[in-house]
Amino acid sequence: TDLPRSPAAAAEPHHASPAAPRRLREKLRTAARMAGPPAHTAPGSRQQVQGGERRAQPASGAPLAAARETRAPFRFDYERFRRSLCHPVRGRQPGEDPETRARRMKIKEMMKFAWDNYKQYALGKNELRPLTKNGHIGNMFGGLRGATVIDALDTLYIMELEEEFQEAKKWVEKSFDLNVNGEASLFEVNIRYIGGLLAAYYLTGEEVFKSKALELGEKLLPAFNTPTGIPRGVINLGRQDTRPYSIGMSWSWGWASAGSSILAEFGTLHLEFLHLSELSGNPVMNIRKVLNRVEKPQGLYPNFLSPVTGNWVQHHVSIGGLGDSFYEYLIKSWLMSDKKDSEAKKMYDDALEAIEKHLVKKSAGGLTYIAEWRGGILDHKMGHLACFSGGMIALGAEHAREERKQHFMDLAAEITNTCHESYARSDTKLGPEAFRFDAGTEAMATRLSERYYILRPEVVESYMYMWRLTHDPKYRQWGWEVVKALEKHCRVEAGFSGIRDVYTTTPTHDNMQQSFFLAETLKYLYLLFCEDDVLSLDDWVFNTEAHPLPVNHTNFKA
């Protein structure tokens, strides 16, 4: 390969394709040039990308090709990158109290149990079905396999489960096939597969992870071939055609309003694609240009945007599903840029101000929550997915103006407390998918369809950030309550399973060990009981699947 290898990675030959970064550069440039609108693109559900007659002809293709032939291949200096980190990846492990260590070891045992059962019954499938002891493939990943492997890599590494990490790496080397043909969620493939592979590369320097990430990133690019550059939500990984607005490559979700793209989906690409750019030496998309131009109702960002016109399709605003990680990626983009991306910081500050003004409410019982906004009418519910926001606001508070810091830390603590209450008020001490603040009910699910728990991480994610930023011992105590509840209600003979009703002490299991349980829930719980220098926030930013990506302290072109 053209890249320097870490000493660990040099022990055995890796066969990364040197052509992959160059092909990626070429396709990224093509994607960046798409500007003119297609001839006929009518909005509609599951809309095909069309536009026959007027294809934008790249004017500068030949000179670019010539430049590529003469320019030296881009090289990322991995050793220099590792030297730039402020802390060792796994920390310095100073003396600590025995109870904290014992709790961390318990979470490590849970991870080993989850991985060992996946390996035994479902290796190569996307997820383990622990009750029936078989694998589940699903239809989110377009024929890609091994979602649990890719999601687990960095957690296994951080927990020093060396043998298990080598098993996972071997599967990636020998069995991870990217030549698939199927409909994939751009968002899910990006956060799980691209995020997981990038994190594994940055943590270990193993070439195989980098080359797979670049090759898969290239397959996602046709989703950006739209008049605005805002990608559609679904992409066929098997049909590669880079012509502008090519037919059949990507489309919008059938349930998304009027062929629109979803805020949390197209807004949750920036961290990963920035790193694809870093590793391939090529600039990537700019979704923000469209978002800055379009008018925000009351400063809020609705959940649905047309990839054809660049306008909002309907005014539903949510910090939970459909909107959540867009806001998270604004503050994290700024942090990842070593606090240089002032545009992202301003967008985050403005969005948070609008959220606080219009959506943050306090219940009669004194609980602070973030409501949803539907065309000006508030829906007084909060989804489990929105519980990441306590951690996000705390992360942003650290870097707010001096006179606003304490205000935002208090807001973060109040929201995290509300999410803890949603756990504490259930019989299992696990939280429901959504909880409401109406008809005298507070922080509880009132609908049967919202009473389930699928091993989600957002609440413990906020505990981890709140612990790191305040060191208030209650966050570790709350995290330990979750560990005990998971062991009691979700651990089964062959893995961990979600439950269908958190309000009964004899819950029915859903027979699914989600890949994000290994990527996120167990990682955040483990880090909650680690010293602060393990995956230090000075060096790492977590993507929305908890995959650590490095803060860009400098430019690592070799």
Side-chain angles (χ1 to χ4, degrees), residues 7 96 98 121 159 217-218 239 250 305 356 384 388 398 425 469 476 530 558:
E96 59 189 337
Y121 298 113
M159 292 187 181
E218 183 183 323
R239 295 185 57 187
S250 66
L305 185 85
E356 200 175 356
H384 193 294
F388 83 96
E398 219 198 347
R425 295 180 187 197
L469 297 168
R476 279 185 164 172
C530 283

Side-chain angles (χ1 to χ4, degrees), residues 330-331 342-355 396 399-401 408:
L330 289 176
I331 189 67
S342 53
E343 180 184 52
K345 179 71 160 63
K346 183 179 185 328
M347 286 174 77
Y348 170 79
D349 289 343
D350 292 350
L352 187 59
E353 192 181 317
I355 286 163
H399 308 284
R401 297 194 313 274
F408 286 127

Side-chain angles (χ1 to χ4, degrees), residues 45-313:
S45 64
R46 196 181 154 95
Q47 177 187 356
Q48 296 291 328
V49 183
Q50 295 176 351
E53 305 93 62
R54 273 186 56 212
R55 297 203 187 279
Q57 293 301 323
S60 51
L64 275 172
R68 267 195 306 280
E69 294 306 314
T70 55
R71 194 173 60 190
F74 178 86
R75 293 172 66 235
F76 178 84
D77 190 336
Y78 183 80
E79 290 306 313
R80 197 165 136 227
F81 153 67
R82 284 302 290 256
R83 287 195 301 273
S84 79
L85 296 177
C86 304
H87 306 275
V89 171
R90 291 164 170 161
R92 291 186 175 83
Q93 300 181 332
E96 59 189 337
D97 68 282
E99 183 186 67
T100 301
R101 186 179 189 284
R103 290 181 171 187
R104 190 171 71 245
M105 289 302 105
K106 173 60 193 169
I107 296 157
K108 179 174 176 176
E109 181 278 327
M110 292 164 75
M111 178 68 184
K112 181 169 167 46
F113 180 71
W115 171 262
D116 285 348
N117 280 287
Y118 167 77
K119 185 186 79 173
Q120 182 173 349
Y121 298 113
L123 183 65
K125 301 291 197 300
N126 285 323
E127 279 135 343
L128 165 68
R129 288 192 177 278
L131 299 186
T132 47
K133 298 182 181 174
N134 60 354
H136 173 254
I137 292 172
N139 56 8
M140 268 194 310
F141 306 120
L144 292 174
R145 300 285 191 267
T148 293
V149 179
I150 309 296
D151 255 352
L153 280 164
D154 51 15
T155 310
L156 293 170
Y157 182 81
I158 288 303
M159 292 187 181
E160 299 182 59
L161 288 163
E162 304 292 356
E163 190 182 319
E164 292 77 5
F165 175 79
Q166 290 303 326
E167 291 164 356
K169 180 186 146 206
K170 184 179 174 187
W171 184 88
V172 174
E173 286 176 326
K174 303 278 192 291
S175 307
F176 185 35
D177 183 12
L178 298 182
N179 294 313
V180 295
N181 192 351
E183 299 170 12
S185 159
L186 174 67
F187 169 77
E188 295 291 350
V189 169
N190 178 58
I191 66 170
R192 299 196 204 206
Y193 286 89
I194 301 283
L197 291 165
L198 287 172
Y201 171 66
Y202 283 119
L203 291 172
T204 67
E206 296 279 8
E207 284 295 316
V208 64
F209 301 132
K210 188 194 73 168
S211 62
K212 293 280 189 188
L214 290 174
E215 193 181 337
L216 183 54
E218 183 183 323
K219 283 175 168 284
L220 300 181
L221 290 174
F224 297 90
N225 288 357
T226 66
T228 57
I230 297 282
R232 289 185 164 84
V234 188
I235 180 156
N236 188 318
L237 294 175
R239 295 185 57 187
Q240 297 299 303
D241 181 347
T242 54
R243 290 171 302 174
Y245 324 125
S246 54
I247 295 170
M249 293 305 308
S250 66
W251 48 87
S252 298
W253 291 109
W255 50 266
S257 183
S260 55
S261 295
I262 295 157
L263 182 68
E265 297 203 343
F266 66 75
T268 310
L269 300 164
H270 191 78
L271 299 185
E272 296 82 2
F273 274 78
L274 216 59
H275 279 284
L276 290 176
S277 299
E278 180 90 353
L279 294 178
S280 66
N282 186 78
V284 83
M285 75 226 179
N286 189 358
I287 283 167
R288 290 212 206 121
K289 206 162 48 184
V290 179
L291 290 178
N292 276 337
R293 176 185 61 74
V294 67
E295 191 177 337
K296 273 75 71 181
Q298 268 88 53
L300 296 165
Y301 289 86
N303 290 339
F304 298 103
L305 185 85
S306 164
V308 176
T309 65
N311 295 322
W312 304 116
V313 174

